[in-house]
Each structure stands twice: as C-alpha cells, then as structure tokens.
Amino acid sequence: MNQFQGLTADDLSGFEEKYAGSALCRAMTNALYKHSVKDAAFCHAGLASSQYAFSIDIPTLPVTNQKASGRCWIFSALNVLREVTAKKCNLDKFELSQNYTAFWDKFEKANYMLESIIDLADRSVDDRTVCHILSEGVGDGGQWDMFVNLVEKYGVVPKSAMEETYQSSNTRDMNALLNSRLRLCAEKLRETVRSGGDVQGEKKAMMSEIYSFLCMCFGNPPKKFDFEYVDKDKKYHVVRDLTPKSFYEEYVGLKLREDYVSIINSPTEDKPFGKSYTVDYLGNVAEGAPVRYYNLPMDTLKSLIIRQLSDGEVVWFGSDVGKYGERDRGLWCTECYDFEGTYGMQFDMEKGAGLDYRESAMNHAMVITGVDLDEEGNARKWKIQNSWSDEHGEKGYYLMSADWFDRYVYQAVINKKYLTKEQLEEAAGEPVHLNPWDPMGTLAQ
C-alpha cells in the first residue's frame, strides 16, 4: 500500500502566513461573510453582451414547468413535438402530457434495470458494473434515444388526457421507494438465477407490482381519449377515440428515428471525432434501440445547429447548466463571472479534461429557439427555451453566451438532411462501446 504524505505543523504555519499577508484574501474574507461565492465573483460588465435580441428568433409556445422533477429531457423533447401540433391545429397554447411519457419511462426503466441484473447475475455483487446499476437505480433523467424509444412504443397524448399529479411533479420520495423495491427485486432475481428458478416468471410478477405502484403515483395511462381544443380563431374542435399512437401519427408525424441523429462534442482522447458511440447498460425500453452519439468538432456541431435554426426548426440539446449560471436573469455566461480574479486561483479546466476528470458533463436538456449571428455568420449568443417555469429570464427563456456554449454544450439532435454523405455514413457506423460510468452516459435531468 502506498505511503501517504501528511502535512506538518510547519506547512500549516506557512499556509497561514501566506493567507494573512494577502490583501485579496482579507478583502474576500469580509465579502464572503455576507455574500455567496458566486455573487462575490459576479462581473456586471458581461451583461452588456447579454441582451435578449437575436438575428434568428423562432416563435415558440410558452415555456413549461418540470417543477421538482428531473424530466427536462422529456419536457424539452415534447416541446419540440408540440410545435408541430400547434401549427397543424392553429394553437397558441398547447402541451403534450409529460406525465404520460414519464410513466412509461419509469416502467420501462424498471424492466431494463431488472433485465440488466439478470444478465449480470453471474458476476459478484461488488462488480463495478453491477454496483453502477444498483447505485444509479431508476431516476428521472434520460436521453434523446430513450425518448424516441418511448414514442415509438407508446405514442404521445395531449396533457389534457393525462394531467400532472403531485408525484409526477415531485419525484424524490417516489423514486426512493421505487428504487428500494427494485433493489429488493434485484436480490431475489440473483438468487433465482443461482437456484435455477423461473427468473422471467418472477420478474413479470415484480413488474406487475411496479405497474400498480406507478399507476398509484402517476395515474393509469389512457388507451383512448378525445382531443378537444379551441384554435386561435376561437373555433372549437373535437376528435373522438384517438389512441396515443394514432394521435402521434395524425398530429405530430415526425420520423424521429429515421430523420434525426444525436450529435455530441466530446473532445477527449478516447473519443476521436467522426465516430459513433454507445454506452453499455444505458437505456429504458429493453427491445428498443440503444443510445447512440456521433462525435463532431464544436464548429461542425454549431454549424449544423445554425442551419436547422435558419430553416425555422428548433433544436433539442444537452449541456452542463451547473456552470456560470445566473438563474434570475436567465443567463449562462462565462463573461459574467471572474472566479480566478476574485479568489486568486484557477478553477476552469479545458473541455476534454473537464469530462475526463468528472468536473463537467451534460446534466440538463432544453430547446434552442434562436441565435444571434455576426457578419461572418458566427454565433454571438443563443436563445434557449427552458422548462423551469416563466419566473426567470425572459418569461422562462434563457440566454447562453458564445463562449459558454462552446465550453458546456455537449449534445444536439439534428435532422439528417443537414449532414453530408460522409457524416451520415460515419454516424451509421458500428458504435464504439463505452463503459456505463462514462461521462457521456450522464443523463439529462
């Protein structure tokens, strides 16, 4: 075992002397007595370039509110889809049911987790992959391909067909109970595998209980419903006896699997650009398509986003919103904070190193609805539709600075028509398999 080197009394004396002799340290000690570390580092000069004005600004419906849940990926994906429905039906206010999609996501994730436990039953309980699955459990977070799996299997419904419940909007306690039950199920399934019992029969009995629990929390998902609405011209419409799939086909109709691709920017040594990647044991629908990413340089990713926005189509994307954010103003802007100058030390890492050393990863999904371009066509700032209510930013819309976007945006979903033939071939290639704990396996919440 390595011998660790401790710190001596002389070391501490030197540290204290350095601190006491620093005017910056003394000033910041006083400032931090009454202010947060972020507020003390706020740079108002950065606000000058953070005005809500954009050369490309796609009109969209009012923002939604995920409340105390980690369903941003569902909210943002449904926000993309609802724009199609709103245009078809001439609506200025409309939401698809986030609760409906979340119900089936939880149900399918539970089955996926138990199937993973069965698949790994020959491994020790302290195997790293087994530990990862058990520790992660079933949460709210997700990925674009997981959303597509749900739409293909279950369709979508208007929010009026399956409203929010307290549990769907406040998921922490429910998730804790669900995962306690699933870990108990995992223990029993591993024992059943070892004893040669009917593991699939036992799993189905467990899933029946999980289904009932989810119905208690979310409500019973509808099989048929009526779609009633009043359009912008105050004209009433009703369509009877729709199913979730028939509603999707008639009122959305996007070919998500066929026409769209998930691209990422992960500038790490283990992920060369121009290749596709997948993450082992990451998914929801067991028989669905795996999560796939196509890795591209940032300039290429941005150019594809701008082309799609220029054609009037919004973009689902994922980023790390824990960095350089000012929630009340609705800003993510590196220029608005000077942590190094305020505290006299470096905090930032390069993007690739930030991923490798777990300093940063995608943790939130939203929708890009606009961009401001300079004379050369380069992005100066981006307009974002969030799902944190309309109480922050510009009625719930946020702004991302150009530098922040480059450093902390990791993923976007782009229509394949914007990719070259070579890019399409690379994106469709056999993916490189990543470990379940890889940073690119982080789920948006």
Side-chain angles (χ1 to χ4, degrees), residues 95-387:
E95 289 187 41
L96 293 164
S97 174
Q98 303 92 359
N99 186 20
Y100 176 82
T101 303
F103 175 97
W104 290 118
D105 177 60
K106 280 282 192 292
F107 179 75
E108 290 289 348
K109 277 179 181 168
N111 181 66
Y112 193 96
M113 176 182 173
L114 297 183
E115 281 292 317
S116 299
I117 290 299
I118 293 170
D119 186 57
L120 298 167
D122 60 335
R123 300 193 190 183
S124 167
V125 74
D126 66 352
D127 172 84
R128 186 171 183 182
T129 301
V130 175
C131 287
H132 177 83
I133 291 168
L134 292 174
S135 62
E136 290 293 311
V138 168
D140 292 346
Q143 258 293 340
W144 174 260
D145 286 311
M146 295 162 70
F147 174 77
V148 176
N149 284 338
L150 296 170
V151 171
E152 289 182 339
K153 186 169 183 177
Y154 295 107
V156 298
V157 304
K159 191 169 185 176
S160 58
M162 191 170 178
E163 294 277 356
E164 290 286 293
T165 69
Y166 180 86
Q167 306 308 324
S168 68
S169 296
N170 301 270
T171 56
R172 184 180 64 179
D173 292 341
M174 176 196 65
N175 285 342
L177 272 179
L178 176 61
N179 282 302
S180 291
R181 178 60 188 164
L182 286 170
R183 292 183 182 110
L184 179 61
C185 292
E187 179 190 17
K188 292 181 177 179
L189 288 175
R190 285 172 60 86
E191 291 174 355
T192 301
V193 171
R194 288 195 293 270
S195 65
D198 180 10
V199 67
Q200 284 298 326
E202 188 166 357
K203 189 207 72 172
K204 287 181 181 179
M206 294 170 176
M207 287 306 302
S208 177
E209 293 181 343
I210 297 299
Y211 182 89
S212 295
F213 177 74
L214 292 175
C215 285
M216 296 177 210
C217 294
F218 292 113
N220 199 358
K223 293 181 175 61
K224 283 193 174 183
F225 59 92
D226 298 336
F227 180 35
E228 294 183 84
Y229 64 94
V230 177
D231 64 23
K232 293 179 184 178
D233 301 322
K234 309 302 180 185
K235 185 177 178 181
Y236 171 81
H237 303 262
V238 59
V239 183
R240 307 278 185 198
D241 294 327
L242 288 164
T243 67
K245 283 193 171 184
S246 69
F247 176 85
Y248 183 85
E249 292 167 2
E250 183 171 351
Y251 292 99
V252 182
L254 295 178
K255 297 177 181 178
L256 300 177
R257 184 78 63 198
E258 180 179 333
D259 291 345
Y260 291 84
V261 61
S262 174
I263 60 177
I264 60 170
N265 175 244
S266 178
T268 53
E269 188 176 342
D270 66 326
K271 299 180 186 69
F273 294 132
K275 292 184 178 295
S276 288
Y277 300 87
T278 188
V279 181
D280 291 338
Y281 293 100
L282 179 70
N284 54 359
V285 179
E287 71 276 19
V291 170
R292 287 178 64 102
Y293 308 114
Y294 174 44
N295 197 19
L296 290 170
M298 193 61 187
D299 284 347
T300 306
L301 182 144
K302 287 190 296 183
S303 69
L304 291 170
I305 294 174
I306 290 170
R307 288 182 64 191
Q308 186 160 313
L309 291 173
S310 298
D311 284 347
E313 184 176 356
V314 298
V315 177
W316 186 100
F317 81 112
S319 61
D320 179 0
V321 297
K323 307 295 185 184
Y324 293 93
E326 214 291 320
R327 185 162 184 161
D328 288 339
R329 294 179 183 269
L331 290 178
W332 283 290
C333 177
T334 54
E335 297 88 344
C336 284
Y337 291 92
D338 182 11
F339 292 112
E340 183 172 349
T342 303
Y343 300 107
M345 64 186 80
Q346 182 179 343
F347 296 92
D348 290 341
M349 302 180 77
E350 294 295 326
K351 192 171 187 178
L355 287 167
D356 284 339
Y357 285 86
R358 275 51 177 180
E359 168 62 14
S360 180
M362 188 197 75
N363 53 35
H364 190 55
M366 296 174 287
V367 179
I368 307 172
T369 67
V371 62
D372 187 43
L373 303 176
D374 64 17
E375 293 77 8
E376 285 76 39
N378 299 311
R380 291 187 290 206
K381 55 191 174 183
W382 304 80
K383 185 179 180 183
I384 309 301
Q385 182 190 66
N386 204 350
S387 54

Side-chain angles (χ1 to χ4, degrees), residues 11-26 344:
D11 292 329
L12 295 177
S13 178
F15 300 159
E16 183 178 6
E17 182 178 349
K18 182 179 178 181
Y19 162 78
S22 168
L24 173 64
C25 288
R26 294 196 302 273

